[in-house]
Amino acid sequence: MQDRARATRRSLLEAAAHLFVEQGYARTSINEISDLSGRTSGAVYFHYSSKEKLALAVVREQFAAWPSLADRYAAPGIPPLEKLVALSFDIAKALRDDVMTRAGARLWAERRTIDVAIPTPFAVWAAAVTRLLAEARAEGELADEVQPSGIATTLVCAFFGLYDLTEEMADREELSDRLHQWWLLVLKALQARPEPAALVARALAYHQPAPTGNHSRRPGSSGYREGRAMTRFSP
């Protein structure tokens, strides 16, 4: 793909993500995506053919970022439960600050209104959490009664439920604080020798989220305009 076409697709994707976050899939039109991105509606249809395909591209873009989060804790020497907690704070920060991640989450929540199959992140995350819990079991970190596969699904569901309800009932800036409180409760049941406050503190020392770049800036903001200055009027 040529650089100009790649830049066009990127600007359309980012504009769509911002609008999906702000007003949802059903209330977002192709014309609004065109206006916000500075591209023509013809460019939208040329690159994505429909709003459904654009929504699917946003979700896939979100999924593409997940492996890099997990890879940051692949180094040996970090205990599995500390990896799990640190990774959860990375995901929480992305859900709070990164528009592509937030758009993907909202589109999945609105999947029944979208005439295309929206993939779910939960199976991937349940598998990742199962693996970390199994490693914790092998290293003697896990309480005897905890079964990794079953508990992993419960943890993933509870985490995303915490995110959804924080979005609905409180300021999304509170997500990290609520996640901290959640882990203090959950680790008492997970750990063979409970020390939840100390483990969370160690995990937060590893937790150094990568910058989100322009993903957190709405098209039309000064920072975004500077980043798009050379490509805004490309077809």
Side-chain angles (χ1 to χ4, degrees):
M1 185 186 298
Q2 294 181 349
D3 289 344
R4 189 171 67 174
R6 188 177 293 110
T8 298
R9 289 176 67 89
R10 187 72 206 173
S11 66
L12 293 171
L13 204 63
E14 291 178 359
H18 278 276
L19 288 167
F20 292 150
V21 167
E22 291 169 5
Q23 56 195 39
Y25 175 82
R27 292 179 57 202
T28 296
S29 70
I30 291 293
N31 285 340
E32 288 174 311
I33 294 169
S34 170
D35 290 344
L36 188 59
S37 67
R39 315 290 176 164
T40 66
S41 58
V44 180
Y45 287 112
F46 176 80
H47 288 283
Y48 292 103
S49 77
S50 68
K51 190 172 74 166
E52 289 85 358
K53 294 292 180 62
L54 190 46
L56 186 58
V58 169
V59 173
R60 286 173 173 164
E61 180 74 10
Q62 174 206 10
F63 277 26
W66 291 138
S68 65
L69 291 179
D71 288 348
R72 294 170 62 198
Y73 300 103
I78 304 176
L81 288 181
E82 291 179 25
K83 289 182 183 180
L84 177 59
V85 174
L87 180 58
S88 75
F89 278 95
D90 270 10
I91 299 169
K93 178 169 173 55
L95 286 166
R96 188 191 69 194
D97 296 341
D98 184 79
V99 71
M100 206 65 67
T101 302
R102 296 186 67 216
R106 178 156 186 176
L107 288 168
W108 188 86
E110 298 179 355
R111 64 195 180 281
R112 291 182 178 86
T113 69
I114 306 172
D115 193 21
V116 67
I118 299 296
T120 173
F122 303 121
V124 172
W125 284 117
V129 175
T130 298
R131 183 179 67 253
L132 287 171
L133 291 178
E135 292 174 6
R137 161 78 72 223
E139 296 187 15
E141 293 185 41
L142 214 57
D144 292 339
E145 62 273 17
V146 174
Q147 298 301 317
S149 59
I151 292 298
T153 300
T154 300
L155 290 177
V156 170
C157 291
F159 173 86
F160 282 99
L162 179 70
Y163 164 71
D164 282 341
L165 289 176
T166 300
E167 282 273 290
E168 187 69 26
M169 300 173 61
D171 191 317
R172 65 187 172 94
E173 297 298 325
E174 296 180 16
L175 181 57
S176 290
D177 290 339
R178 289 172 182 263
L179 182 59
H180 193 147
Q181 295 167 10
W182 182 73
W183 276 120
L184 293 180
L185 291 172
V186 169
L187 286 168
K188 289 179 182 179
L190 286 183
Q191 288 184 280
R193 293 170 295 281
E195 48 157 10
L199 189 149
V200 172
R202 292 194 297 271
L204 288 175
Y206 297 120
H207 166 63
Q208 297 178 346
T212 58
N214 281 343
H215 281 189
S216 61
R217 294 174 178 163
R218 191 184 195 278
S221 68
S222 60
Y224 188 95
R225 283 197 302 270
E226 290 167 7
R228 298 249 63 87
M230 298 302 295
T231 60
R232 183 172 176 82
F233 298 106
S234 300

